[in-house]
């Protein structure tokens, strides 16, 4: 059956943990993880709730394939109302934590209320208890993991925690598990911090039982693994080069947002690329990259483990950072690098380590630094206000601001507000490169038109993981489309959005979709889960999840006006590269998108759309 | 005429000695096609997945028709993706 059929509900206010059966009717309609947790959230909270108040809830959820033999089946999702955006927040993480939740016998954990003092949740199979975390408050994610493992005398316990950023409610604080995997976006770590919940420590020894047809499941997962192994992207490209291989591609096509999107190409892109990670450094003769790494059950292994140059100014007096650790991935390398004009790979890795250590989303952090650097160059922010000089390209400024933000010191508190609040506070909201308050990832939509629509309509604010049309528009997966045209992009964006919702809700990694289509996922789900799991049903589930998230956002106060892009992208043409002279034509795509979705011209799902989807 | 030839990721092994930063600047005859250039450096055709000239995608069917011009930058990748 894929599901454990069991939910853990944790009332932080009263300090009680209780068990509930999983709503199996909902599981048939929303599958698991992202979809099912969102269904619970929207059924239990007022959409207008203050995200950082005790009335908001936070759900950690697995999918039916989490913890199973399915490749990449280690994913879990954190669903809540996000403080960065005020929209639905849904952040997905790999590592081993998700599978452990399944092994302990639970499908999801719902946190509600606020603990009177810092606590952490300890779950050992059926037993769950809240423990005092006063001694952990103020510690980093890394120290928290170590301390909990030590005090439980269990090196195999799997831990998700917040660092100082989550405690300080940095608007883009994340939740870090297994040292360097994170539910990264939209500030889910700030919600956890607002609840005085420092960590969740899980230990499960039950394995996953109840697969509907075990023989068929093994056959389906083996066949699907072969597809991943035989595919040049998932079998060779991602394990060897990681996601960062995109740095040169996206720069070459003129869609690498640079210096807060002032430019679309970065002169130092090569220095922060996957290829550079493989090159021996002149300083110590070692390459930055040590090895690749895999999350639970993953046969792709795109993860990067690197070693920083011990002599670099950022760490030469700080041996704590000398060991091999996670990074750099493409998004982090872009946000910490090109977005600020910084081409120093070691400085980027240092900032990335701080993000992992104290639990901050490197995309939103890096992009906010980019905005602050632009405000500084314009003279709106001064050295006196910030406490240091922050011109574009300054590795020193990046490193120092990362320290200040991670620890909540001085101007770091302002960087912790995120780009939208920062730019608005200093009188230049138009310089915030965000949608619905969330910072863009690493693709400039002037050169990749479909991504403009994907960003504008993403239910969690600007994001590449809700509808990654880059796959089609740039990489030719599954078919190549022209990144410079708007025709056909409405359908393309919808198709990517709906399919991604299914991948996320199944409990697998969306990177499988570089080789798999839903037709590869369907036999795995059909063998694992009770009920009928046809392609038609999966497509409908994806669309249902998308519309449910949209309805929540509409009820939270969002309107079609929020399906927008900053004026820089729609009125300042790209200065160089193949997209030179182009802006994003969201205005041409959006009405068509609403139509394709079965929404009114105001972006509201029509009654017939809702009834078709059973919403 | 002068052009730039760039090979990325695993294709960088096919670049001749003397190339730096995944790139070599070359003197080639007028009228050489994209496909000829790729063949000349023995990049297996199935590995030349993403082929860009000045950042614009050249579909496989057009690679032998597309003649290079002075100053063109040809960039080639094997199948790759990220996110
Ligand atoms: S593809 Fe990468 S991110 Fe996805 S599960 Fe595997 S290692 Fe983790």
């Amino acid at each position: 059956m894929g599901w454990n059929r069991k939910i853990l509900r944790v009332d932080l206010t009263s300090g009680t943990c209780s068990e509930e059966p999983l709503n199996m009717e909902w599981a048939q309609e929303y599958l698991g993880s992202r979809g099912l947790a969102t269904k619970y959230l929207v059924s239990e909270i007022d959409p207008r709730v203050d995200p950082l108040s005790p009335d908001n809830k936070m759900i950690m959820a697995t999918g039916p394939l989490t913890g199973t033999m399915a490749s990449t089946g280690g994913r879990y999702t954190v669903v809540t109302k996000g403080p960065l955006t005020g929209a639905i927040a849904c952040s997905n993480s790999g590592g081993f934590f998700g599978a452990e939740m399944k092994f302990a016998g639970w499908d999801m954990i719902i946190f509600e209320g606020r603990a009177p003092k810092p606590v952490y949740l300890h779950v050992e199979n059926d037993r769950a208890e809240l423990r005092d975390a006063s001694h952990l408050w103020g510690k980093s994610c890394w120290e928290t993991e170590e301390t909990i493992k030590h005090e439980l005398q269990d090196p195999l316990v799997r831990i998700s925690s917040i660092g100082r950023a989550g405690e300080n409610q940095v608007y883009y604080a994340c939740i870090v598990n297994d040292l360097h995997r994170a539910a990264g976006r939209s500030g889910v770590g700030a919600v956890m911090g607002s609840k005085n919940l420092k960590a969740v420590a899980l230990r499960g020894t039950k394995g996953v039982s109840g697969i509907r047809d075990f023989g068929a499941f093994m056959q389906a997962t083996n066949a699907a693994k072969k597809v991943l192994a035989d595919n040049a992207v998932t079998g060779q490209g991602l394990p060897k080069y990681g996601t960062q291989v995109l740095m040169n591609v996206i720069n070459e096509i003129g869609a690498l947002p640079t210096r807060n999107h002032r430019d679309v190409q970065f002169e130092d892109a090569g220095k922060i690329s996957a290829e550079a990670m493989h090159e021996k450094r002149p300083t110590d003769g070692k390459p930055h990259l040590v090895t690749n790494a895999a999350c639970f059950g993953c046969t792709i292994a795109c993860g990067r483990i690197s070693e920083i140059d011990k002599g670099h100014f950022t760490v030469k007096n700080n041996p704590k950072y000398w060991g091999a650790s996670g990074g750099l991935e493409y998004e982090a390398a872009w946000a910490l690098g090109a977005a600020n004009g910084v081409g120093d790979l070691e400085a980027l890795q240092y900032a990335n380590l701080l993000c992992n250590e104290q639990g901050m989303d490197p995309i939103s952090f890096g992009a906010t630094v980019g905005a602050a650097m632009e405000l500084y160059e314009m003279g709106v922010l001064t050295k006196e206000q910030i406490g240091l000089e922050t011109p574009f390209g300054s590795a020193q400024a990046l490193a120092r601001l990362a320290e200040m933000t991670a620890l909540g010191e001085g101007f770091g508190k302002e960087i912790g507000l995120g780009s939208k609040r920062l730019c608005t506070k200093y009188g230049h909201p138009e310089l915030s490169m965000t949608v619905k308050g969330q910072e863009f990832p690493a693709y400039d939509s002037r050169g990749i038109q479909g991504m403009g629509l994907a960003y504008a309509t993403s239910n969690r604010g600007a994001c590449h993981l809700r509808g990654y049309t880059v796959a089609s528009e740039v990489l030719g997966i599954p078919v190549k489309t022209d990144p410079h045209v708007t025709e056909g992009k409405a359908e393309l964006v919808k198709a990517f959005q709906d399919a991604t919702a299914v991948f996320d809700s199944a409990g697998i990694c969306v990177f499988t979709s570089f080789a798999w289509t839903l037709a590869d996922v369907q036999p795995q789900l059909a063998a694992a889960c009770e009920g009928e799991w046809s392609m038609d049903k999966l497509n409908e589930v994806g669309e249902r999840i998308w519309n449910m998230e949209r309805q929540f956002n509409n009820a939270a106060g969002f309107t079609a006006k929020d399906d927008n892009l900053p004026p820089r992208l729609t009125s300042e043409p790209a200065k160089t590269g193949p997209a030179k002279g182009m802006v994003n034509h969201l205005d041409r795509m959006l009405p068509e998108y609403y139509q394709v979705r079965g929404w009114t011209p105001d972006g509201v799902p029509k009654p017939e759309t809702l009834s078709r989807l059973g919403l | 005429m002068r052009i730039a030839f760039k090979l990325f990721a695993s294709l960088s092994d096919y670049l001749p000695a003397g190339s730096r930063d995944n790139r070599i600047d070359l003197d080639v005859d007028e009228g050489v096609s994209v496909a000829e250039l790729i063949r000349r450096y023995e990049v297996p055709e199935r590995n030349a997945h993403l082929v860009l000239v000045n950042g614009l995608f050249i579909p496989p069917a057009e690679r032998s028709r597309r003649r290079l011009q002075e100053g063109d930058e040809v960039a080639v990748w094997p199948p790759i993706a990220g996110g």
Side-chain angles (χ1 to χ4, degrees):
Chain A
M1 60 194 174
W3 304 275
N4 281 322
R5 295 171 168 250
K6 220 169 74 171
I7 293 179
L8 177 62
R9 189 176 290 274
V10 179
D11 182 341
L12 292 158
T13 310
S14 66
T16 53
C17 300
S18 53
E19 180 186 324
E20 276 174 30
L22 184 72
N23 185 325
M24 291 308 293
E25 262 170 50
W26 286 357
Q28 287 294 322
E29 287 162 17
Y30 299 94
L31 193 53
S33 203
R34 171 177 164 187
L36 194 51
T38 305
K39 176 64 182 169
Y40 272 89
L41 188 84
V42 304
S43 307
E44 295 192 11
I45 68 164
D46 176 350
R48 294 196 175 256
V49 72
D50 171 359
L52 297 175
S53 76
D55 293 335
N56 192 12
K57 299 192 183 187
M58 184 186 88
I59 305 180
M60 292 181 165
T62 64
L65 296 182
T66 308
T68 69
M69 294 291 289
S71 185
T72 77
R75 314 290 306 187
Y76 89 103
T77 302
V78 181
V79 178
T80 186
K81 180 173 173 177
L84 185 67
T85 56
I88 193 88
C90 168
S91 297
N92 188 292
S93 180
F96 297 82
F97 179 85
E100 200 74 19
M101 189 187 302
K102 212 63 182 289
F103 298 161
W106 306 95
D107 292 307
M108 61 171 87
I109 308 175
I110 301 177
F111 294 96
E112 47 195 41
R114 169 185 288 157
K117 60 184 180 46
V119 292
Y120 78 92
L121 176 71
H122 177 220
V123 176
E124 198 176 350
N125 292 328
D126 299 326
R127 223 176 34 135
E129 61 167 353
L130 287 169
R131 292 175 151 231
D132 177 46
S134 315
H135 60 303
L136 299 172
W137 209 251
K139 285 197 191 307
S140 70
C141 299
W142 297 350
E143 292 163 334
T144 300
E145 283 205 23
E146 196 183 319
T147 312
I148 292 179
K149 284 181 178 178
H150 193 257
E151 76 188 29
L152 296 175
Q153 285 293 294
D154 186 355
L156 293 177
V157 73
R158 298 292 182 185
I159 296 159
S160 272
S161 68
I162 54 167
R164 296 275 288 275
E167 292 177 10
N168 295 335
Q169 294 171 31
V170 166
Y171 277 92
Y172 43 82
C174 60
I175 301 174
V176 176
N177 59 287
D178 304 294
L179 298 178
H180 38 239
R181 285 283 162 188
R185 302 225 66 194
S186 312
V188 294
V191 174
M192 190 157 158
S194 76
K195 298 194 168 309
N196 268 328
L197 178 64
K198 178 68 181 174
V200 179
L202 302 174
R203 185 78 163 91
T205 55
K206 298 184 183 189
V208 176
S209 58
I211 294 292
R212 189 181 66 83
D213 179 342
F214 197 74
F217 186 64
M218 289 306 286
Q219 223 167 15
T221 52
N222 281 339
K225 280 176 189 168
K226 187 161 179 342
V227 173
L228 294 179
D230 291 347
N231 183 287
V233 172
T234 48
Q236 295 148 36
L238 278 173
K240 173 127 198 239
Y241 292 99
T243 56
Q244 213 179 343
V245 74
L246 285 186
M247 194 67 74
N248 283 312
V249 180
I250 304 301
N251 193 48
E252 202 75 19
I253 68 159
L256 190 70
T258 301
R259 290 175 279 270
N260 203 33
H261 289 67
R262 273 186 176 180
D263 299 300
V264 294
Q265 291 184 305
F266 182 37
E267 58 285 0
D268 283 340
K271 291 186 188 163
I272 60 169
S273 65
E275 288 83 354
M277 297 267 287
H278 280 261
E279 263 164 40
K280 290 191 178 125
R281 288 184 284 243
T283 43
D284 62 0
K286 291 184 187 163
H288 193 80
L289 184 74
V290 177
T291 184
N292 66 331
C295 301
F296 173 86
C298 175
T299 54
I300 301 174
C302 79
R304 303 291 92 184
I305 301 293
S306 308
E307 221 172 75
I308 203 165
D309 179 352
K310 297 179 181 64
H312 191 259
F313 78 87
T314 49
V315 296
K316 68 170 183 272
N317 297 321
N318 211 339
K320 173 164 74 157
Y321 300 106
W322 289 359
S325 193
L328 287 157
E329 321 289 338
Y330 173 57
E331 291 297 338
W334 163 77
L336 302 168
N340 308 313
V342 177
D344 178 340
L345 191 66
E346 308 301 325
L348 309 194
Q349 175 64 355
Y350 175 66
N352 188 59
L353 288 171
L354 289 180
C355 287
N356 286 343
E357 185 185 22
Q358 298 297 355
M360 303 194 289
D361 169 15
I363 301 180
S364 286
F365 164 71
T368 304
V369 170
M373 285 180 167
E374 181 157 11
L375 291 170
Y376 173 83
E377 297 225 335
M378 289 163 65
V380 176
L381 284 173
T382 62
K383 182 184 167 193
E384 286 64 41
Q385 279 168 301
I386 305 175
L388 66 156
E389 286 172 357
T390 64
F392 280 125
S394 168
Q396 281 81 2
L398 171 72
R400 188 67 197 114
L401 289 174
E403 292 162 359
M404 290 161 70
T405 311
L407 300 177
E409 293 168 357
F411 197 78
K413 291 198 196 85
E414 311 258 324
I415 300 287
L417 296 172
S419 156
K420 186 179 167 194
R421 287 175 174 85
L422 180 83
C423 291
T424 305
K425 180 169 175 181
Y426 291 99
H428 288 276
E430 77 286 358
L431 293 182
S432 168
M433 295 296 119
T434 52
V435 174
K436 299 183 177 72
Q438 178 157 287
E439 292 75 10
F440 286 108
Y443 310 91
D444 195 300
S445 62
R446 286 169 287 196
I448 312 176
Q449 292 288 319
M451 280 311 287
L453 180 62
Y455 289 146
T457 59
S458 157
N459 286 327
R460 67 169 187 178
C463 170
H464 58 298
L465 294 170
R466 297 295 97 158
Y468 190 64
T469 63
V470 173
S472 167
E473 294 181 276
V474 181
L475 307 169
I477 303 170
V479 283
K480 183 78 175 72
T481 52
D482 185 343
H484 292 175
V485 306
T486 54
E487 289 77 29
K489 295 299 162 65
E491 287 91 357
L492 189 75
V493 167
K494 176 184 181 292
F496 270 88
Q497 288 173 336
D498 291 352
T500 303
V502 177
F503 277 81
D504 288 346
S505 302
I508 53 176
C509 179
V510 74
F511 288 173
T512 55
S513 68
F514 295 133
W516 290 351
T517 64
L518 273 187
D520 297 285
V521 181
Q522 184 271 334
Q524 303 184 70
L525 282 172
C529 305
E530 67 192 46
E532 267 308 303
W533 291 96
S534 63
M535 286 294 290
D536 283 349
K537 177 163 167 179
L538 289 179
N539 283 319
E540 193 181 273
V541 165
E543 194 180 356
R544 181 180 297 126
I545 293 168
W546 193 265
N547 278 273
M548 167 175 62
E549 293 171 341
R550 175 74 179 193
Q551 275 187 297
F552 177 86
N553 286 350
N554 285 351
F558 288 90
T559 66
K561 280 207 285 297
D562 301 297
D563 295 339
N564 212 340
L565 296 171
R568 178 163 280 176
L569 302 182
T570 52
S571 61
E572 283 180 32
K575 290 184 200 143
T576 61
K580 185 174 174 181
M582 290 183 67
V583 295
N584 186 275
H585 294 292
L586 179 66
D587 53 332
R588 294 184 198 159
M589 298 181 280
L590 195 59
E592 195 188 340
Y593 173 85
Y594 287 163
Q595 213 171 12
V596 173
R597 278 255 170 241
W599 296 354
T600 67
D602 295 326
V604 177
K606 291 181 184 165
E608 56 265 36
T609 305
L610 295 176
S611 86
R612 177 171 59 79
L613 296 169
L615 284 165
Chain B
M1 63 181 186
R2 200 88 176 139
I3 60 141
F5 189 44
K6 309 183 206 176
L7 295 176
F8 292 101
S10 54
L11 300 186
S12 44
D13 298 345
Y14 295 97
L15 277 172
S19 34
R20 278 198 56 211
D21 301 330
N22 295 87
R23 165 192 179 115
I24 187 150
D25 293 298
L26 298 169
D27 280 314
V28 295
D29 297 337
E30 295 282 334
V32 68
S33 74
V34 175
E36 278 160 8
L37 181 72
I38 292 171
R39 261 198 307 276
R40 192 173 298 174
Y41 287 90
E42 295 176 1
V43 178
E45 208 178 305
R46 69 190 162 83
N47 288 354
H49 177 75
L50 184 62
V51 177
L52 308 179
V53 174
N54 305 325
L56 291 171
F57 178 67
I58 311 294
E62 282 174 30
R63 287 173 197 164
S64 42
R65 285 200 298 271
R66 174 70 152 85
R67 310 269 155 212
L68 292 173
Q69 289 167 7
E70 171 76 29
D72 275 350
E73 305 219 342
V74 182
V76 188
W77 284 264
I80 42 116

